[in-house]
Amino acid sequence: MSNNQSKVEKFIEGIPGDLKSTEKYTQHGYFEPELVKTQFELPFSVNYMSKAVETVPYTHEDFPILRVLSRMMSAKYLHREIREKGGPYGSGAICGSGVFSFYSYRDPNSSKTLQVFDEAVKWVVDDKFVPEDVDEAKLSVFQQTDKPITPGSAGMTLFLSGITDDMRQTMRDRLFQVSKQDVINVTKKYLTGDRPAAVSFIGPENSTVKTDDTWKVIKG
């Protein structure tokens, strides 16, 4: 134990920031989110699609609602419209601290999938779902939230993200209160308008991207 502890302390000393503060060690003040569209062109036969939108951190009151939204979108819209109709191996939405993301992998489509990402937002804003969809999504989030956590995982989450047991409990308590209207409201607030977002994908040469100057292509 003492040998490992001394090595960990030596490692921490080389990391900028104060271990006792809440400041994240990887935070850089010069970073400015902006709208970008990038393709990483590689000799693949399929695409790996993604879109990310800036939202709120873990401790924000809207974060639990965004988590429910991501599960509901994945199960009730994206799986049907992308996975079942489009044929990729998988697709969905993920809510992380500060970012809401859409994705698909091993996807034969590109532009069509990006269009479905936008249509999923419209599906929520236009109130095309029922309260039971929200309840199912909440149960899915609770299943993930309430699963056993090893001491190592809890410690790593605290070290990397600054998330404490009290923060997790507060987030869990807020999950109970999430309603259908809450889901619509946060969708309008964070996933519509001009909020910073980024679109990127890995895949073969794309004729649509090639003729669109708004895209940046990086050849692998």
Side-chain angles (χ1 to χ4, degrees), residues 142-157:
F142 274 120
Q143 185 178 29
Q144 179 70 23
T145 303
D146 291 346
K147 71 178 183 180
I149 301 175
T150 64
S153 296
M156 187 61 71
T157 300

Side-chain angles (χ1 to χ4, degrees), residues 20-86:
K20 296 180 180 179
S21 73
T22 56
E23 182 180 355
K24 292 186 175 66
Y25 295 109
T26 55
Q27 186 172 6
H28 294 285
Y30 61 80
F31 177 74
E32 290 290 339
E34 59 180 339
L35 174 61
V36 292
K37 296 195 294 185
T38 308
Q39 181 200 1
F40 297 89
E41 187 179 300
L42 291 170
F44 295 165
S45 59
V46 290
N47 301 288
Y48 297 79
M49 312 298 300
S50 67
K51 178 180 180 179
V53 183
E54 183 185 25
T55 54
V56 293
Y58 185 92
T59 53
H60 194 280
E61 61 184 3
D62 288 339
F63 183 81
I65 309 172
L66 288 164
R67 283 193 72 179
V68 172
L69 172 63
S70 69
R71 294 299 179 93
M72 187 184 75
M73 271 189 175
S74 297
K76 298 299 180 178
Y77 192 87
L78 295 171
H79 180 82
R80 179 183 73 239
E81 297 298 321
I82 297 180
R83 174 70 180 90
E84 294 180 2
K85 295 182 179 179

Side-chain angles (χ1 to χ4, degrees), residues 55-56 60-70 72-73 100 121 124-125 127 129-131 133-135 137-138 171-192:
T55 54
V56 293
H60 194 280
E61 61 184 3
D62 288 339
F63 183 81
I65 309 172
L66 288 164
R67 283 193 72 179
V68 172
L69 172 63
S70 69
M72 187 184 75
M73 271 189 175
F100 190 97
V121 174
V124 177
V125 171
D127 195 5
F129 60 101
V130 295
D133 295 334
V134 177
D135 293 338
K138 287 167 70 173
M171 196 280 297
R172 186 181 184 281
D173 293 340
R174 287 171 173 167
L175 279 172
F176 284 104
Q177 310 302 322
V178 176
S179 67
K180 181 183 178 185
Q181 190 59 49
D182 290 334
V183 172
I184 295 174
N185 290 343
V186 297
T187 303
K188 291 179 178 178
K189 184 176 181 180
Y190 299 109
L191 302 184
T192 62

Side-chain angles (χ1 to χ4, degrees), residues 111-122:
S111 300
K112 183 179 178 181
T113 295
L114 294 177
Q115 181 181 341
V116 175
F117 291 163
D118 293 336
E119 290 170 352
V121 174
K122 188 176 186 301

Side-chain angles (χ1 to χ4, degrees), residues 4-5 8 11 24 44-45 47 71 88 96 137 169 202-203 212 220:
N4 288 335
Q5 184 175 349
V8 170
F11 169 72
K24 292 186 175 66
F44 295 165
S45 59
N47 301 288
R71 294 299 179 93
Q169 185 60 49
I202 300 171
D212 187 343

